[in-house]
Amino acid sequence: MRPKKTILCVDDNEQSLSVRKFLLETRGYRVLDTQSPHHALEMLTRALPGSVDLLLTDLTMPQMDGNSLIRRAKEIHPALPSLMVSGTITSADRNEAADAFLPKGANSASELLDRVRILVARKRGPKKHVVQMSPLAPQQRTEMYPATA
């Protein structure tokens, strides 16, 4: 069984946040949610590298906008993918930092889930170093496995 992917959702609108959390949890994701960008940064600071698979945030929030949150989050976890949503379609041009953008209300739940799935799948950790075993030369083979007479 695969471990659940963890998504950090940030939105100052409690209703939007709870709907998004429910949607993602019913699809098998583990969701950490907060209405505060500052709390989201605290959560990321405490999180182990690679333990959060996606940052999903609103663009317009009172304390800090989504672009600033994403920039600061990527300082903490540089490989963290991010998806920004916004209440207006015209906000797409204000997306400066996110890997992907979706306007709230103009997208369906399936579009959000598809985008999340793609971004989570794209996340890659450090490549594992694999040591290749080279075949033994003939003289090494005879030293390791002496012939029996």
Side-chain angles (χ1 to χ4, degrees), residues 136 138-148:
L136 295 174
Q139 71 272 13
Q140 289 173 317
R141 265 187 250 143
T142 58
E143 290 170 7
M144 286 183 68
Y145 308 105
T148 56

Side-chain angles (χ1 to χ4, degrees), residues 69-93:
L69 172 59
I70 291 169
R71 276 191 223 94
R72 291 178 65 186
K74 288 194 182 241
E75 289 173 5
I76 300 166
H77 296 283
L80 180 65
S82 59
L83 173 60
M84 189 180 314
V85 292
S86 180
T88 60
I89 296 172
T90 58
S91 296
D93 59 339

Side-chain angles (χ1 to χ4, degrees), residues 10 12 34-39 60-65 68 72:
V10 186
D12 61 315
T34 181
Q35 291 180 275
S36 163
H38 296 289
H39 184 241
T60 311
M61 295 180 283
Q63 302 127 358
M64 178 187 310
D65 77 347
S68 297
R72 291 178 65 186

Side-chain angles (χ1 to χ4, degrees), residues 5-10 30 32 40-45 47-57 66 68-84 97-100 116 118-126:
K5 299 293 183 178
T6 302
I7 300 171
L8 175 56
C9 286
V10 186
R30 179 174 174 247
L32 308 173
L41 290 172
E42 288 173 20
M43 293 167 78
L44 287 170
T45 301
L48 294 172
S51 62
V52 177
D53 299 293
L54 177 67
L55 171 60
L56 174 58
T57 183
S68 297
L69 172 59
I70 291 169
R71 276 191 223 94
R72 291 178 65 186
K74 288 194 182 241
E75 289 173 5
I76 300 166
H77 296 283
L80 180 65
S82 59
L83 173 60
M84 189 180 314
D99 297 310
V116 166
I118 290 166
L119 288 169
V120 167
R122 196 184 324 165
K123 178 186 172 231
R124 299 287 183 250

Side-chain angles (χ1 to χ4, degrees), residues 19-30:
V19 167
R20 206 168 294 127
K21 180 178 180 176
F22 176 79
L23 177 69
L24 293 166
E25 285 179 339
T26 58
R27 298 309 189 279
Y29 295 102
R30 179 174 174 247

